[in-house]
Structures are given as C-alpha cells and as structure tokens.
Amino acid sequence: MSRFTLSITAQDADIDELGHVNNAVWVQWIQAIATAHWEAVAPAEHKLAYVWVVTRHEIDYRGSVIAGGDGCRRDLGRGGA
C-alpha cells in the first residue's frame, strides 16, 4: 500500500479566543483528511457502492497550534493509520 499524506496549515479563521486552533476545527480537519484519503485510494467501484462514516473519534490534544502552524498532518498507509 502506498502512503497518503495531507498537510493542513492553520489559518487566522481557525484561531479561537484563546489564541490557538479551536477544538471544533480539529474535527473539521479530520473530516477533510478522511475524505481526501477515501477519494485518493478507494477503487471507483467502492466509491459508487459504499459510503463511509465515522462511528467514533477520540482526540488527544498534545499542544497548541497557532495561525500558520502545521495543524494537522497524517500519514496513512503501511505501518498503520
């Protein structure tokens, strides 16, 4: 399996009153990455036959991201997701 990578950079609109990326924005980024991954790797017949949904998510916030920071980068592929 080849690797899938997508990077998202925090924009000014992503920043909340505490000066870092709002928690709700992280969930939007997860959705964007998951959708991009599906579009990049799913066979055409799967895209026509199936719809994927998130049944659960859990986020461990390990630090703050500010505007211009590398907000979310996920490598998907060999070695785990």
Side-chain angles (χ1 to χ4, degrees), residues 5-78:
T5 301
L6 181 69
S7 295
I8 297 175
T9 301
Q11 305 299 310
D12 289 338
D14 300 326
I15 307 304
D16 64 16
E17 62 275 0
L18 299 175
H20 56 72
V21 172
N22 186 281
N23 292 353
V25 173
W26 283 96
V27 176
Q28 293 172 343
W29 289 349
I30 292 166
Q31 177 76 21
I33 291 170
T35 300
H37 180 251
W38 171 256
E39 291 297 327
V41 303
E45 63 272 15
H46 287 188
K47 291 179 189 177
L48 293 173
Y50 303 108
V51 175
W52 67 268
V53 297
V54 175
T55 57
R56 181 179 186 282
H57 71 265
E58 181 177 329
I59 303 171
D60 293 322
Y61 297 99
R62 297 185 178 179
S64 297
V65 175
I66 59 173
D70 182 15
C72 195
R73 180 170 184 236
R74 185 66 174 134
D75 293 320
L76 302 173
R78 191 175 302 137

